[in-house]
């Protein structure tokens, strides 16, 4: 359903360009299943070059059974994780801020989620998703599968610095999450983050949690967190868990960055946390708000235009305050709008902002 939700973000960014002096060049690149069906590749060389040249890539969700048909070489070089690696996007920023208008859509109680405003910083191009050796050995006696969790000091420090900087620009609290009780990478993770805190960020209140405890704390008392920093695997899981604070995966945007602030470099990649939702794809019922909020992150972090980012966020809040809901965030039996209508409602709110 990538194309369905991307179409909504695209109309908003074009509107901002035409009506609110957003000074950017926009180009579109086809990526994923539809391009593969036509060309046997998931992205063209020209498309990759366009991505290389961009300040920000706004990326629709991908995934589906077709990926097993993509030739392994092509897949290895152009799948999303490979693109993140290509662009050096080691820091994944996942803000979790439930809208009061949507408290009733969360599976958690109102008093648990009231006022929650946290950011999960997930290391994105290291750890067990990339470590070697990996593979499945097939022997007459049976199979043996191996994945390798590996981190270097430098990989931990660079994502740690992004998290500390974010904490410094917010409420000054950082919680580092690992499994230092049972994993060697966890011990190094804790050692490096602790050292960074003491030497470079003594002003930040640093705490540590084990990943299993953090999963529990996220649903028990999420208000205790300001910024969380963790590795690739734990970040993947904890962010989906935290999505429920906002009511739906369809509400959670993310940014993949190579640094933050003036050093952000390019390109950075902005995308919803959710996948391609094959169960609802093509039905025009997906919630496009995570995609639209990903646009607002791009405007804030890469385009350096907080004014336009706030306009988009305000428009989303206004739509929710007016009671407009897609199916995933509507109460049973209450009317809901489709993907396209939700995009139009955000546009309508924008014109009033
Ligand atoms: P998913 O996030 O696609 O869907 C999980 C559940 O949430 C589904 O029931 C889906 O209908 C619902 N959902 C997700 N987004 C929604 C939205 N915007 N509006 C309403 N409901 C929404 O996760 P999955 O089913 O585990 O993965 C499906 C495919 O997506 C897989 O091929 C996976 O590899 C891929 N994936 C891609 C990305 C990405 O593009 N960054 C991220 C995660 C998964």
């Amino acid at each position: 359903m990538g194309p369905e939700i991307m179409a909504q973000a695209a109309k908003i960014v074009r509107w901002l360009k035409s009506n609110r002096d957003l000074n950017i060049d926009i180009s579109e690149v086809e990526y994923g299943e539809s391009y593969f069906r036509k060309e046997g590749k998931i992205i063209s060389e020209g498309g990759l070059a366009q991505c290389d040249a961009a300040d920000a890539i706004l990326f629709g969700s991908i995934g589906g059974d077709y990926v097993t048909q993509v030739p392994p070489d092509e897949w290895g070089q152009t799948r999303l994780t490979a693109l993140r690696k290509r662009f050096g996007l080691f820091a994944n920023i996942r803000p979790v801020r439930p809208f009061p208008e949507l408290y009733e859509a969360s599976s958690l109680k109102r008093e648990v989620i009231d006022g929650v405003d946290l950011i999960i910083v997930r290391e994105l191009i290291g750890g067990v998703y990339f470590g070697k050796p990996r593979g499945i050995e097939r022997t007459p006696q049976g199979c043996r599968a191996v994945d390798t969790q590996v981190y270097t000091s430098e990989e931990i420090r660079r994502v740690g610095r992004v998290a500390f900087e974010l904490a410094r620009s917010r409420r000054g609290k950082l919680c580092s999450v690992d499994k230092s009780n049972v994993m060697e990478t966890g011990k190094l993770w804790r050692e490096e983050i602790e050292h960074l805190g003491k030497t470079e960020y003594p002003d930040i209140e640093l705490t540590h949690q084990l990943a299993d405890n953090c999963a529990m704390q996220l649903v028990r008392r999420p208000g205790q967190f300001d910024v969380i920093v963790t590795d690739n695997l734990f970040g993947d899981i904890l962010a989906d868990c935290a999505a429920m604070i906002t009511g739906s995966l369809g509400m959670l945007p993310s940014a993949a960055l190579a640094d933050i602030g003036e050093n952000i470099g390019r390109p950075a990649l902005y995308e919803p946390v959710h996948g391609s939702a094959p169960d609802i794809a093509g039905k025009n019922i997906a919630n496009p708000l995570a995609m639209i909020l990903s646009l607002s992150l791009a405007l804030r972090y890469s385009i350096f235009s907080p004014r336009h980012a706030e306009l988009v966020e305000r428009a989303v809040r206004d739509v929710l305050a007016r009671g407009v809901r897609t199916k995933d965030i509507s109460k049973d039996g209450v009317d809901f709008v489709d993907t396209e209508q939700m995009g139009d409602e955000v546009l309508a709110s924008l014109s009033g902002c």
Side-chain angles (χ1 to χ4, degrees):
M1 54 122 176
E4 295 167 56
I5 52 173
M6 179 60 89
Q8 310 318 311
K11 59 192 183 197
I12 285 161
V13 75
R14 285 205 191 88
W15 187 91
L16 288 171
K17 196 170 148 69
S18 308
N19 298 282
R20 290 291 183 276
D21 308 319
L22 178 62
N23 185 16
I24 58 170
D25 295 323
I26 305 166
S27 60
E28 287 184 40
V29 174
E30 208 175 345
Y31 180 100
E33 183 163 10
S34 57
Y35 191 73
F36 177 71
R37 300 270 174 232
K38 285 186 286 190
E39 304 291 340
K41 301 163 84 167
I42 49 180
I43 185 170
S44 66
E45 284 301 318
L48 266 180
Q50 273 174 275
C51 292
D52 283 336
D55 290 315
I57 301 169
L58 190 62
F59 192 89
S61 314
I62 56 144
D65 293 342
Y66 80 98
V67 300
T68 56
Q69 299 161 34
V70 181
D73 270 5
E74 163 75 11
W75 183 241
Q77 285 174 31
T78 54
R79 69 182 202 271
L80 180 57
T81 45
L83 292 191
R84 289 168 177 160
K85 192 112 183 163
R86 175 189 179 105
F87 303 132
L89 305 175
F90 62 83
N92 191 214
I93 314 281
R94 300 183 159 195
V96 181
R97 200 179 302 130
F99 292 94
E101 296 81 5
L102 267 193
Y103 280 176
E104 85 281 0
S106 173
S107 52
L108 300 177
K109 290 181 193 137
R110 169 177 282 264
E111 60 266 30
V112 174
I113 58 175
D114 189 27
V116 168
D117 176 3
L118 66 91
I119 294 185
I120 297 181
V121 180
R122 164 190 171 194
E123 199 291 325
L124 202 56
I125 56 175
V128 73
Y129 292 171
F130 291 92
K132 300 257 172 57
R134 62 181 288 153
I136 303 180
E137 245 175 66
R138 297 179 196 277
T139 68
Q141 288 75 40
C143 295
R144 182 172 172 271
V146 179
D147 291 291
T148 301
Q149 164 85 339
V150 52
Y151 272 111
T152 64
S153 298
E154 186 40 39
E155 285 172 327
I156 299 169
R157 279 184 214 149
R158 65 186 183 180
V159 73
R161 284 197 181 94
V162 167
F164 274 113
E165 290 294 335
L166 270 175
R168 196 173 258 171
S169 69
R170 291 165 46 92
R171 304 194 299 278
K173 284 171 61 180
L174 178 64
C175 178
S176 173
V177 174
D178 59 47
K179 282 291 283 180
S180 55
N181 53 339
V182 285
M183 295 174 76
E184 299 306 314
T185 44
K187 283 182 198 147
L188 183 65
W189 186 278
R190 190 169 289 212
E191 204 178 291
E192 291 294 350
I193 299 285
E194 187 68 27
H195 183 70
L196 261 188
K198 285 208 174 90
T199 53
E200 296 179 34
Y201 299 94
D203 52 317
I204 302 300
E205 186 192 320
L206 173 65
T207 53
H208 302 273
Q209 271 181 19
L210 297 176
D212 42 349
N213 180 29
C214 181
M216 189 267 282
Q217 296 295 342
L218 272 172
V219 291
R220 178 178 164 263
R221 205 165 52 82
Q224 71 187 276
F225 297 110
D226 179 10
V227 179
I228 292 173
V229 63
T230 190
D231 77 11
N232 204 343
L233 173 65
F234 299 142
D236 197 0
I237 297 166
L238 294 173
D240 270 29
C241 177
M244 281 301 100
I245 296 169
T246 63
S248 166
L249 259 180
M251 293 301 300
L252 222 58
S254 81
L257 313 177
D259 210 322
I260 199 156
E262 288 170 5
N263 304 322
I264 186 167
R266 70 183 204 188
L269 189 145
Y270 300 86
E271 58 171 331
V273 165
H274 59 74
S276 59
D279 51 337
I280 58 169
K283 297 182 180 162
N284 192 29
I285 56 170
N287 183 347
L289 293 181
M291 184 83 247
I292 291 169
L293 291 168
S294 299
L295 166 66
S296 103
L297 289 183
L299 295 170
R300 190 177 296 281
Y301 289 124
S302 281
I303 311 298
F304 300 108
S305 183
R307 176 171 76 91
H308 289 102
E310 275 155 29
L311 273 180
V312 174
E313 285 156 22
R314 216 181 312 147
V316 169
R317 249 193 328 267
D318 182 62
V319 162
L320 296 172
R322 290 193 283 113
V324 181
R325 302 284 186 267
T326 41
K327 189 170 181 207
D328 56 310
I329 50 174
S330 77
K331 271 196 199 149
D332 289 346
V334 177
D335 283 351
F336 53 84
V337 298
D338 64 29
T339 309
E340 218 176 312
Q341 288 166 330
M342 182 55 108
D344 292 339
E345 292 287 352
V346 176
L347 266 189
S349 285
L350 259 183
S351 352
C353 285

